Amino acid sequence: MIGLGTYAYFWQHSDRVPAPMSLIDALEDTREQGVELFQICDYAPLETMSDAELRDAASAARDLGIAIELGTKGIVPEHLTRFLRLAEVFDARLVRSMLFGPDSRPSLAESESWLRSGIRAYESAGVTVALETYEQVSTTDLLGVIERVGSPNLGICLDPANVVARLENPRTCVEQAAALTKNVHVKDFAFARQPGWVGFTYSGAAMGSGLHDYDHLLATVRPRERGVNEIVEHWLPWQDDAETTIRTEREWTRTTLEHLRSTP
C-alpha cells in the first residue's frame, strides 16, 4: 500500500504554524486524499497521550478505514515492549525503529542481544520491527545485526536518502537491503549550491525532481509484489513563512502521491 506519514505533515504538525494539525486531523486529511495507510512516526505526543486519547485516535483511524503503522527510535527492550502495546491499541502490524534512541547507543553486540530478547513477543503478536537505514550505522552493520537475529519479523525500513550523510551510495544501499526490506520511506533528495559557491546543502526535493532513482528501487525491492508498504515523507526546509511552507508541503504530498500512483 501507499501511505502517508507524520513526516509528510512535519510543518503542519509543528508549533511554527498558526493552527497545528492534530493526529486525528492528519488522519482525516489522509483519507480525503484517498490514502488508506498512515505511519505515526517519531510523533512526540504519542508517548504522552492518555489511554483515552490513544483509544480515540485508534478509533478514528478505524472509522476512516485507515491502517496504522508506528515509528519510534531505539531498541531498548522496555521501549520495544511499550511500542508493542501501542501497536496492539492501533492494530498496527509494523513498528519502524532505529538502533540508536535518544538515550541509548548500543554496540552491535548489544543491539543483537536486545533485539533477540524483544523480537519474540513481536513474532507472537504478528508485528514486524523495521530498522531504518540511516547515517549513524552503516547499512552493512545494520544488515549484519538483522541477519544474525534471524527473525522473520525483523527487517529493514529502507530510506536511501539517509545514508548519503555517511558517504554511502543510495543505489548501493537499495541493492544491499532489498531482500530484507519490510517498509519503504519515499522522498526525493538533492544537493544545492550554497550562496557564493561555498559548499552544498543536502535536502529534500519534490518527488521526481531530485536524485532518487525510484524506478531502480521499485525494480530492485519489488515492494508492490511483496506487500511492502511505501510511506510518503518529506525533507522540506522552512519556506520563510507558515503559509508558503504549508502550501509547499501539501504540494509535495500531492506530487509524490501522483508519482507513486502513476508508476506501475
Side-chain angles (χ1 to χ4, degrees):
M1 295 175 66
I2 294 168
L4 297 179
T6 40
Y7 278 103
Y9 293 85
F10 183 83
W11 294 115
Q12 292 167 85
H13 280 310
S14 79
D15 58 9
R16 294 191 66 176
V17 302
M21 286 181 113
S22 69
L23 177 57
I24 292 177
D25 290 336
L27 293 173
E28 291 173 344
D29 187 72
T30 294
R31 195 65 185 88
E32 288 175 6
Q33 298 190 68
V35 177
E36 299 177 355
L37 173 65
F38 190 87
Q39 188 175 92
I40 309 170
C41 189
D42 300 342
Y43 182 69
L46 189 68
E47 302 256 22
T48 58
M49 289 167 69
S50 68
D51 289 345
E53 289 171 327
L54 290 168
R55 287 194 299 270
D56 286 347
S59 177
R62 283 190 289 271
D63 290 345
L64 291 163
I66 294 177
I68 296 294
E69 296 178 345
L70 299 180
T72 186
K73 295 176 181 176
I75 56 168
V76 174
E78 296 80 5
H79 187 68
L80 287 179
T81 298
R82 163 70 173 155
F83 265 80
L84 182 57
R85 294 196 186 107
L86 289 173
E88 291 168 356
V89 172
F90 284 95
D91 297 322
R93 299 293 90 194
L94 182 137
V95 174
R96 165 278 207 181
S97 196
M98 297 175 167
L99 291 190
F100 295 170
D103 303 310
S104 62
R105 293 179 66 88
S107 66
L108 296 179
E110 286 172 326
S111 297
E112 183 179 339
S113 175
W114 290 358
L115 288 166
R116 284 186 185 279
S117 69
I119 200 63
R120 304 310 167 205
Y122 277 78
E123 290 174 353
S124 297
V127 179
T128 293
V129 175
L131 300 175
E132 186 159 351
T133 54
Y134 70 129
E135 72 283 356
Q136 295 184 31
V137 179
S138 75
T139 301
T140 299
D141 285 344
L142 182 60
L143 290 168
V145 169
I146 293 169
E147 289 167 348
R148 287 191 295 275
V149 173
S151 170
N153 289 67
L154 179 65
I156 288 287
C157 173
L158 180 57
D159 190 335
N162 291 335
V163 304
V164 173
R166 196 181 176 87
L167 298 183
E168 291 188 21
N169 186 292
R171 286 175 63 98
T172 303
C173 173
V174 167
E175 291 162 3
Q176 286 180 289
L180 289 174
T181 294
K182 306 287 189 180
N183 197 242
V184 175
H185 280 175
V186 184
K187 60 175 170 281
D188 211 340
F189 46 89
F191 290 91
R193 276 283 187 183
Q194 290 277 54
W197 285 57
V198 286
F200 294 88
T201 297
Y202 179 59
S203 189
M207 191 67 183
S209 69
L211 297 173
H212 193 3
D213 186 349
Y214 201 70
D215 287 343
H216 170 258
L217 186 151
L218 289 176
T220 305
V221 179
R222 299 183 300 108
R224 298 170 190 182
E225 295 90 335
R226 295 170 54 205
V228 172
N229 293 333
E230 302 164 76
I231 306 298
V232 175
E233 294 191 336
H234 307 309
W235 274 350
L236 174 67
W238 182 257
Q239 303 291 295
D240 297 326
D241 62 80
E243 181 181 358
T244 305
T245 302
I246 291 173
R247 183 176 66 249
T248 305
E249 189 168 65
R250 295 186 67 81
E251 287 173 355
W252 280 24
T253 296
R254 284 193 294 271
T255 297
T256 308
L257 289 174
E258 289 170 1
H259 186 94
L260 294 177
R261 287 165 173 164
S262 66
T263 305

